[in-house]
Amino acid sequence: MRVPMIAGNWKMNTTVTEAVALVNEMRRGLDEIDNVDKVICPPFVSLATVRELIKESSIKLGAQNIYFEEKGAYTGEISPLMLADLCEFVIIGHSERRQYFNETGEMINKKVRAALRAGLKPILCIGERLEENEAGRTEEVVTEQLRSSLAGIDYPSGLIIAYEPVWAIGTGRAATGKQANETIGFIRQIISQKYGKKIAQDLRILYGGSVTADNTAEFMQQLEIDGALVGGASLKANEFLSIVKQTSEIKQVR
Ligand code: 13P
């Protein structure tokens, strides 16, 4: 049985002061919900402060990016060792990083390896662009993204995958539950071929892209979908709480 997970990707939003306020607003409510891994991923500069605020709670912490070298002359970068000291999860390969910061499959592979080596749990993001979707190339694209991101990795212990179709991110145009379930089922098959049935069955695969309190139930009712990576709606305490609560209730019944 896979424990569902809701992760909030705050992206480049909130000052430290605002991050503190947001955590204070949702900490108690989130802490009271069980049966779901609740992860928040604030900007790097707030990680240490937020960590202190949630340390007595069941809320978990993640970062939004990582560099693959352990230390050295890489001005401005954040290493796996620095993150492992602060948090449990790290988002890797988000489409915004692929698009605006030219992250390639090879770089993402190095980041996943570095994260796993440091004992961090990567939340690996994959997903097709609109034109690829319209050309019926979704399966081909996610297959290639999985191949390159996981190349040479024997046993991805702790890995989580987030299927985030690029056309659904920040657009208000979410995939349907059925569409997301099909692609996530396909992703699980690819993982099964590469790593075997047991690892595939245990692997958590999240959906991401315009998830809101209003459409959460549609996704969580799907058997292959183990939770969500939430952007915009994770910045509103009440909405995020509602997403987590609904997930707990729906997945518990299943
Ligand atoms: P939105 O929920 O704002 O569409 O963002 C999704 C996302 O990119 C999460 O990583």
Side-chain angles (χ1 to χ4, degrees), residues 169-210:
I169 295 177
T171 59
R173 186 185 155 197
T176 63
K178 186 166 174 286
Q179 273 175 329
N181 193 59
E182 269 171 26
T183 305
I184 289 177
F186 176 79
I187 291 167
R188 203 178 299 285
Q189 270 176 39
I190 299 286
I191 294 293
S192 180
Q193 282 161 21
K194 186 170 165 71
Y195 293 111
K197 229 180 174 156
K198 170 87 173 81
I199 287 182
Q201 278 313 316
D202 290 347
L203 176 76
R204 288 183 290 184
I205 311 182
L206 317 179
Y207 167 76
S210 297

Side-chain angles (χ1 to χ4, degrees), residues 213-226:
D214 288 340
N215 63 20
T216 292
E218 179 182 345
F219 294 109
M220 296 314 142
Q221 277 152 6
Q222 307 289 333
L223 290 181
E224 293 287 353
I225 303 180
D226 301 314

Side-chain angles (χ1 to χ4, degrees), residues 1 3-5 33-37 247-249 251-253:
M1 187 74 189
V3 177
M5 172 186 286
I33 306 170
D34 50 22
N35 186 44
V36 180
D37 271 351
T247 302
S248 166
E249 285 163 5
K251 294 292 188 193
Q252 213 144 31
V253 173

Side-chain angles (χ1 to χ4, degrees), residues 60-182:
K60 299 177 176 187
L61 193 59
Q64 299 173 20
N65 185 27
I66 189 171
Y67 192 57
F68 46 78
E69 296 291 349
E70 286 190 353
K71 60 179 171 180
Y74 302 99
T75 302
E77 291 299 321
I78 306 285
S79 91
L81 299 181
M82 296 172 192
L83 290 182
D85 197 34
L86 279 175
C87 60
E88 185 175 344
F89 298 90
V90 58
I91 297 170
I92 297 180
H94 194 282
S95 65
E96 287 149 15
R97 298 221 50 94
R98 296 178 195 253
Q99 185 179 350
Y100 306 132
F101 304 97
N102 303 318
E103 287 197 9
T104 61
E106 195 184 327
M107 284 164 74
I108 292 163
N109 177 252
K110 286 187 181 169
K111 291 183 173 199
V112 173
R113 286 165 181 260
L116 290 171
R117 227 179 6 248
L120 288 156
K121 297 175 181 156
I123 303 177
L124 170 66
C125 301
I126 58 173
E128 82 287 0
R129 295 196 301 261
L130 182 62
E131 61 272 25
E132 293 165 336
N133 180 280
E134 285 173 344
R137 294 182 50 220
T138 299
E139 293 190 351
E140 176 197 331
V141 170
V142 298
T143 301
E144 169 52 26
Q145 288 173 333
L146 286 171
R147 188 203 60 74
S148 60
S149 313
L150 298 175
I153 297 173
D154 290 339
Y155 177 62
S157 163
L159 179 75
I160 290 137
I161 292 178
Y163 168 58
E164 299 206 302
V166 180
W167 46 270
I169 295 177
T171 59
R173 186 185 155 197
T176 63
K178 186 166 174 286
Q179 273 175 329
N181 193 59
E182 269 171 26

